[in-house]
Amino acid sequence: MQRNIISERQFRYLCILVGIGGLLVIGGVEEAGHESYLSAILALAAVIPMSLIFSFCIRLQGSNGIFEWAKQSLGPVFGRIVIIIFTVYAFVTGSFLLSNFTSFTNTTLLSDVPPIFVGTCLMLCIAFMVGSGVGVIGKVGSTVGRITAVILVVTQLIALSNAKSSSSLLPFMPNGIEPIAAGALGVFASALGDIVLVLPIAAKVKKSGRAGRQLAIGSLIACGILIVIFLRNLIILGKQCSEILYFKSFYAVSIMTFGRFFERLEILVSAAYILSDFIKLGVCVYFISEAIKSLFSIKDGVPLVPIAFIITVLSSWF
C-alpha cells in the first residue's frame, strides 16, 4: 500500500462519508424541523454548481491543495491568515463532531462510561490511522463506505415496510419558506465546509486531474443520502417526534421491525454513525496536520496526538 496515494474510488467514498458524517444520526436540521428534507433538497440545488466550480478549479489548477491555492492567490501573508481560519474551522468541526459522538454513546450505548474516556480512546485511534498515511485513510474509508452503504440500503428497505402513511408530509410548507431557507443555508454551509476539509486529500489522488470529478459526485451523493434519511425519519416518527428528538435517525430505526424476530435495528444506525464520524474526524485531523505543515513550512510529519488531545478538550465545551 502506498502511504501517500489514494485511488479515485477511495476519494469518492471519503467525500460521501465526510458529507453525511454528523448529520447521519441527527437526521434533520433544527431550523426546518419536520421539513428538513425540503431544506436538503434546496441545499442540493446550491451544492450542484458549487461542487462543479471546485471540480473545475481542481482540473484547471491541479490538485496542489487548498493551502497552496491560498498562498498563490492571496500572497504569503493573507494566504496564511486564510489557512489559520480554515484550521480553526477544522478544530471547531472536529470538536463538535466528537461532542455529539460522546453524547450519543453516553445516551444510547455506554451510559456507565465517562464520555471523556470514550472521546480520548476514539481520538487516539484516529491519530494512529492518520499517522499511518493518507493511503490508510483511503483504504479504511473505502471499507467503511461499503459497510455504511449496505446499512443504509437495508434500513431504507425496512423503512418502506414500516411506513404506514405519508400524512406527515402535509400540510406542505405551513410556516412558509423562511425556516426551510434557514435550514438549507445550514446544510449548504456544512457541505461547503466538508468540501474544504477534503481538498488536501484531493492532492493525493493517484490521477489528480480526476479528483474534482470524484469530489462533485461524492458531494451530490451525500446530499441525496441526507434527503432520503430526513424524509424517512419524518414518515416514521411523524411531525411532533421528529421536531423534539435530537438523534432522529436512531429513534426512527429503533421503532422499526422486520417480521417477528428482527428488532433492535438501531444498532445498524449506530454502526453507520460511528464509522462515518470516525472517518470525518480523521479527515479533520489530517487537514489540521497539513495546515500546520503549510503554515510553518514543515517538511516532516506533525505530531498528531497533541491535535487529538486539543480536539478532545474542546469537545467538552460544546
Side-chain angles (χ1 to χ4, degrees):
M1 180 188 300
Q2 298 182 3
R3 284 173 53 90
N4 294 314
I5 296 178
I6 65 173
S7 66
E8 297 175 52
R9 179 178 298 179
Q10 291 171 346
F11 182 63
R12 183 171 68 247
Y13 276 121
L14 289 178
C15 292
I16 296 172
L17 292 170
V18 170
I20 65 175
L23 289 174
L24 180 62
V25 75
I26 294 175
V29 289
E30 183 179 357
E31 297 84 356
H34 68 275
E35 295 178 317
S36 294
Y37 73 98
L38 294 177
S39 294
I41 292 173
L42 187 59
L44 178 61
V47 169
I48 291 174
M50 178 188 66
S51 60
L52 293 177
I53 290 172
F54 274 99
S55 177
F56 176 76
C57 290
I58 291 177
R59 186 168 64 250
L60 185 66
Q61 299 294 334
S63 299
N64 295 323
I66 189 172
F67 310 120
E68 292 301 321
W69 288 3
K71 291 179 181 179
Q72 292 173 5
S73 58
L74 300 175
V77 177
F78 288 104
R80 280 181 165 80
I81 293 175
V82 171
I83 294 173
I84 292 173
I85 294 173
F86 287 154
T87 306
V88 172
Y89 171 77
F91 268 118
V92 172
T93 301
S95 302
F96 181 74
L97 284 172
L98 186 60
S99 176
N100 272 351
F101 179 87
T102 54
S103 296
F104 175 78
T105 55
N106 185 253
T107 302
T108 61
L109 301 174
L110 302 172
S111 57
D112 296 329
V113 181
I116 189 67
F117 178 77
V118 175
T120 302
C121 292
L122 176 69
M123 292 308 299
L124 288 176
C125 293
I126 289 172
F128 177 77
M129 178 186 70
V130 175
S132 299
V134 72
V136 175
I137 300 176
K139 192 72 173 180
V140 174
S142 178
T143 303
V144 168
R146 291 185 176 94
I147 296 173
T148 304
V150 172
I151 291 174
L152 291 176
V153 170
V154 170
T155 53
Q156 291 306 123
L157 292 176
I158 297 175
L160 290 176
S161 64
N162 282 259
K164 299 178 180 179
S165 174
S166 60
S167 59
S168 298
L169 303 178
L170 301 174
F172 189 70
M173 296 175 58
N175 300 318
I177 191 65
E178 290 81 5
I180 297 174
L185 180 61
V187 176
F188 173 77
S190 177
L192 177 59
D194 294 338
I195 289 177
V196 171
L197 289 176
V198 299
L199 282 179
I201 301 180
K204 308 298 183 180
V205 177
K206 186 178 299 184
K207 297 180 180 179
S208 59
R210 299 182 181 179
R213 180 171 177 266
Q214 301 304 325
L215 175 63
I217 294 174
S219 300
L220 298 181
I221 292 176
C223 280
I225 291 173
L226 292 179
I227 292 172
V228 174
I229 290 175
F230 293 173
L231 188 59
R232 177 203 65 194
N233 293 343
L234 173 60
I235 294 176
I236 297 296
L237 294 174
K239 292 180 182 179
Q240 294 182 346
C241 289
S242 64
E243 291 189 352
I244 63 176
L245 295 174
Y246 188 67
F247 298 117
K248 300 175 183 62
S249 294
F250 177 83
Y251 290 107
V253 177
S254 68
I255 63 176
M256 289 163 39
T257 59
F258 184 69
R260 295 183 177 181
F261 304 103
F262 294 98
E263 298 181 350
R264 306 288 298 177
L265 298 173
E266 63 270 20
I267 191 65
L268 296 176
V269 171
S270 300
Y273 170 61
I274 291 171
L275 293 173
S276 61
D277 259 28
F278 182 83
I279 295 299
K280 188 167 185 176
L281 280 166
V283 171
C284 288
V285 172
Y286 181 81
F287 184 97
I288 294 168
S289 65
E290 291 296 304
I292 293 174
K293 289 170 63 176
S294 179
L295 280 172
F296 300 102
S297 301
I298 300 175
K299 294 183 179 180
D300 298 329
V302 176
L304 299 174
V305 174
I307 297 174
F309 177 75
I310 292 173
I311 292 177
T312 305
V313 173
L314 290 176
S315 68
S316 63
W317 294 358
F318 288 91

